[in-house]
Amino acid sequence: MPLYRSPVEDHQFLLHHHLRLSDRTELPGFADLTPGFTGELLSSAARFHEEVLHPINAPGDQEGARLVDGRVITPQGFREAWAMHSDSGWHRLTLPEGIGGAGLPPVLSVAVDEIGVATGHAFKMYGGFCAPTAHMLQALGDDWMKTHVVPRLVAGDWTATMCLTESHCGTDLRQIRTRAVPAADGSWRLSGSKIFISGGDHDLTENIVHIVLAKVPGDDGRVADDLSAVHVFLVSKLELDVATGQLGAPNRVGVSAIEHKMGIEASATCVLDFDQARAWRIAGQGAGSSGHMAAMFLLMNHARLGTAISGIAYADMAYQNAAAYARERLSGRSAAGVQAPDQAADPIVVHADVRRLLLESRAFAEGARALALRVALYQSEAADAPDPAQRRTASDMVELMTPVMKAYFTDCGFNAANACQQVLGGHGYVRDWGLEQMVRNARIGQIYEGANGVQAIDLVTRKLTAHGGRRVGVFRDVLLASVERCTPLPAIADLAQRLRQGLDRLAQAHAAVQRQAADDPHATTAAAHDLLTMYGILAVGWAWLELAEVALRLPEDLAATVGRSKRQLAQVWMDRQLPCLAGLAERIQRGSVALMAMDGAQV
């Protein structure tokens, strides 16, 4: 079993020295988030996940989920773990107390989610939509859904899925073939097939509610080819009496196959077939296409931020195992001279190239963790800050950072897992050490919940252009505020100035795209990946600048340990990643010619 130690101490440092949560008394509930409270909660989460989920993670991957007589059987130990997980309530931390949740802010669920992915990603997939679906139905569902469905999801008695993708289409929802027609009793009859449905069936709970996209006929009986025809439906695995909440016979939903995947094999990724299944529409009639899709947007944004956290989890877990190996594995001698004269060779951690692999991975994991918690704090500010201007800034940062974090974090998480596998050499390639599973599992983050290229296009064509491009200025202003504050501090003035230079490169890249777009229809999307990557590098760099600033004011005992490592890792990020901005900006300056000149048949 690979090593894993939950980063409780680092989360505590970030929550209380960086974000200073208990000082945020203007936000509801934050005054209660003392170091003692959060420390006890995170320690409890660490014990549960390390002792219950981590031991069944690798065996579950090897056994995999199985389809037997039309039913999915989860790996050994998963049913018992689910019962304990539901009782512990780790999936409902941020749901309102009024519907059975703990009512805690998103910063704490970010910390727990990271630990959950590291110790049991596949297991976590089964319950990943319980809380967001409960939240969505409480906001947009009919009264009977709030009465009969929401409490079962909150309790973990039922689970939920999100059903978008079909065999012929993923992102382009206009091509959906699944159809729903109204029935006399106010329900709908839904038919079609959906693929890649995580937790589409299992033996952990008695029922599953599927949130399904389907097209509906217009008043003329015809189905439009655009998004105006796409609506969101709830389909229960078992028939559901809306008056009493009682479950009945199986609904007309079947599992025809489960995918055999590169990773997360213990998660049942299902093909679901709906054959005149009884369905209920969410978010009423006459709401327009954006209103009809509101329910799914809520789920997708939650899923994308959760997926971003998986990049941190895999980078950190892979780093922990690779660093332990590098301190013990003996090979060669240090370029600076013998470091272990009593050994046949020096530990490989003395070699600069091994440190490159380790420290770049660690600098990403710890910097991205700080940024993720900052964005989670922005979520609370966007909802509850008393100042309208603060709410708007926070909302803009969350909207902008959602695609950036989803794509950039999962790219870096996979790269870090791959780099740490390299540290182990041949041992990293065999199953016994666990790194190969991390690499396989981490890869999915770049694909699902909207492939990373789609996230980049969403960033440049929607998130950055909305409100007259306001969010571009908000991002720059937020980062420049930290730069201005840190520039007078001699110990970190250089880091601040380098971040400022990076922001200038980003502005130049934006200007180049705007110039090119006047004559080249491909200019914006050709630059999308590189622009998103620039935003990711700068955002994590901003987190490291702030952490370096925090390190300067720590008490002496922490300054000599945590503070010193934070400042050194900040230097790693600035030295190793900020120089990449120049190459990305140059590539953007070159435009789309090289990509689009070749005839499509020859690509």
Side-chain angles (χ1 to χ4, degrees):
M1 186 167 71
L3 305 170
Y4 183 69
R5 184 171 182 268
S6 301
V8 172
E9 293 85 356
D10 197 40
H11 277 119
Q12 283 287 87
F13 171 81
L14 295 171
L15 294 174
H16 299 291
H17 290 282
H18 182 212
L19 300 182
R20 304 178 70 87
L21 292 191
S22 56
D23 292 346
R24 301 301 304 272
T25 54
E26 82 280 10
L27 298 174
F30 273 65
D32 298 328
L33 302 183
T34 63
F37 175 81
T38 60
E40 182 176 349
L41 185 144
L42 293 178
S43 295
S44 296
R47 283 193 299 274
F48 174 84
H49 288 87
E50 290 176 21
E51 295 173 7
V52 176
L53 296 191
H54 190 39
I56 63 174
N57 187 31
D61 179 75
Q62 294 175 30
E63 181 181 346
R66 295 173 291 121
L67 184 62
V68 179
D69 297 328
R71 292 292 310 276
V72 169
I73 309 299
T74 56
Q76 184 175 356
F78 272 45
R79 293 189 67 181
E80 295 79 4
W82 179 259
M84 297 173 66
H85 186 271
S86 298
D87 289 344
S88 299
W90 296 117
H91 65 287
R92 54 179 178 265
L93 287 181
T94 59
L95 287 174
E97 292 180 273
I99 61 171
L104 295 173
V107 287
L108 292 177
S109 67
V110 165
V112 174
D113 284 349
E114 181 191 336
I115 297 169
V117 171
T119 54
H121 188 180
F123 175 89
K124 182 178 170 61
M125 297 291 289
Y126 288 103
F129 281 109
C130 286
T133 302
H135 174 76
M136 179 271 290
L137 292 177
Q138 189 66 24
L140 302 175
D142 293 341
D143 287 343
W144 70 265
M145 298 177 186
K146 300 174 186 179
T147 300
H148 300 310
V149 180
V150 169
R152 309 302 292 273
L153 293 171
V154 174
D157 297 335
W158 299 354
T159 63
T161 73
M162 182 170 68
C163 302
L164 284 75
T165 306
E166 300 183 8
S167 60
H168 61 285
C169 71
T171 304
D172 188 356
L173 301 178
R174 296 171 302 173
Q175 298 186 55
I176 285 176
R177 294 173 183 160
T178 299
R179 298 288 188 263
V181 295
D185 62 357
S187 68
W188 295 67
R189 296 297 177 267
L190 188 145
S191 298
S193 182
K194 298 289 184 176
I195 66 169
F196 302 156
I197 309 307
S198 299
D201 192 59
H202 55 72
D203 56 0
L204 305 180
T205 61
E206 63 176 339
N207 193 37
I208 304 168
V209 291
H210 305 292
I211 308 302
V212 188
L213 283 186
K215 283 188 172 182
V216 304
D219 294 339
D220 59 359
R222 300 177 63 183
V223 177
D225 291 331
D226 56 34
L227 289 178
S228 66
V230 179
H231 292 241
V232 183
F233 294 87
L234 182 151
V235 179
S236 177
K237 175 182 173 179
L238 299 179
E239 287 278 11
L240 181 58
D241 187 320
V242 301
T244 67
Q246 294 296 309
L247 296 173
N251 202 353
R252 299 178 70 87
V253 184
V255 184
S256 56
I258 58 174
E259 306 292 350
H260 299 287
K261 309 180 295 293
M262 176 179 173
I264 54 170
E265 280 280 36
S267 171
T269 304
C270 299
V271 178
L272 292 184
D273 298 320
F274 301 87
D275 181 14
Q276 295 291 304
R278 194 182 194 204
W280 301 90
R281 188 159 63 172
I282 301 170
Q285 299 184 25
S289 60
S290 61
H292 293 153
M293 290 291 289
M296 201 60 76
F297 288 149
L298 280 174
L299 295 187
M300 286 190 290
N301 284 334
H302 172 91
R304 286 167 180 168
L305 289 172
T307 301
I309 302 307
S310 74
I312 303 171
Y314 281 115
D316 185 54
M317 189 177 189
Y319 161 76
Q320 288 187 31
N321 284 269
Y325 181 90
R327 296 184 193 109
E328 296 180 359
R329 178 70 170 181
L330 304 178
S331 184
R333 293 296 188 183
S334 168
V338 174
Q339 301 296 304
D342 57 332
Q343 300 282 352
D346 290 333
I348 63 172
V349 74
V350 305
H351 302 307
D353 193 60
V354 171
R355 291 196 176 207
R356 171 184 66 86
L357 298 169
L358 292 172
L359 290 177
E360 288 184 2
S361 300
R362 182 180 174 187
F364 163 70
E366 293 189 23
R369 180 181 295 136
L371 179 60
L373 291 172
R374 170 69 74 182
V375 172
L377 179 57
Y378 276 139
Q379 289 179 297
S380 295
E381 291 178 353
D384 296 314
D387 180 7
Q390 186 182 11
R391 289 200 300 272
R392 191 177 79 169
T393 295
S395 178
D396 282 343
M397 287 295 287
V398 172
E399 287 293 316
L400 189 153
M401 293 310 301
T402 295
V404 171
M405 287 170 52
K406 191 280 178 187
Y408 185 67
F409 281 18
T410 54
D411 281 348
C412 289
F414 175 75
N415 291 341
N418 196 46
C420 291
Q421 182 185 39
Q422 186 73 13
V423 173
L424 273 70
H427 289 148
Y429 198 67
V430 298
R431 181 173 292 175
D432 302 29
W433 294 76
L435 270 294
E436 61 86 32
Q437 183 190 354
M438 296 177 210
V439 172
R440 289 187 289 106
N441 283 6
R443 186 63 181 86
I444 185 57
Q446 296 168 287
I447 298 172
Y448 68 177
E449 312 309 345
N452 285 359
V454 174
Q455 301 300 318
I457 293 170
D458 176 57
L459 176 72
V460 299
T461 61
R462 296 180 59 219
K463 297 298 192 294
L464 297 180
T465 59
H467 310 295
R470 184 181 74 204
R471 291 172 184 148
V472 175
V474 168
F475 180 82
R476 182 177 176 86
D477 290 346
V478 167
L479 271 62
L480 279 179
S482 295
V483 168
E484 297 294 343
R485 192 176 62 248
C486 295
T487 297
L489 304 175
I492 58 173
D494 178 62
L495 302 183
Q497 286 307 306
R498 291 166 69 185
L499 192 62
R500 183 194 297 273
Q501 292 166 4
L503 287 168
D504 290 342
R505 288 193 187 278
L506 178 65
Q508 292 162 10
H510 272 296
V513 173
Q514 289 175 349
R515 287 194 306 271
Q516 295 161 4
D519 302 312
D520 180 2
H522 299 293
T524 301
T525 53
H529 168 79
D530 293 336
L531 271 174
L532 183 144
T533 303
M534 292 182 78
Y535 271 95
I537 291 171
L538 287 166
V540 176
W542 168 51
W544 274 120
L545 179 62
E546 291 212 322
L547 292 175
E549 180 191 14
V550 169
L552 296 179
R553 61 172 185 259
L554 290 174
E556 186 175 344
D557 57 331
L558 285 178
T561 53
V562 177
R564 182 180 180 186
S565 71
K566 293 298 183 189
R567 287 180 59 186
Q568 290 173 334
L569 288 168
Q571 193 73 47
V572 169
W573 190 262
M574 299 300 192
D575 283 358
R576 303 294 302 181
Q577 301 305 323
L578 259 66
C580 297
L581 295 171
L584 292 165
E586 164 114 8
R587 206 155 60 184
I588 289 170
Q589 293 276 359
R590 298 287 178 180
S592 72
V593 174
L595 297 178
M596 305 308 299
M598 187 178 293
D599 184 85
Q602 297 176 323
V603 171

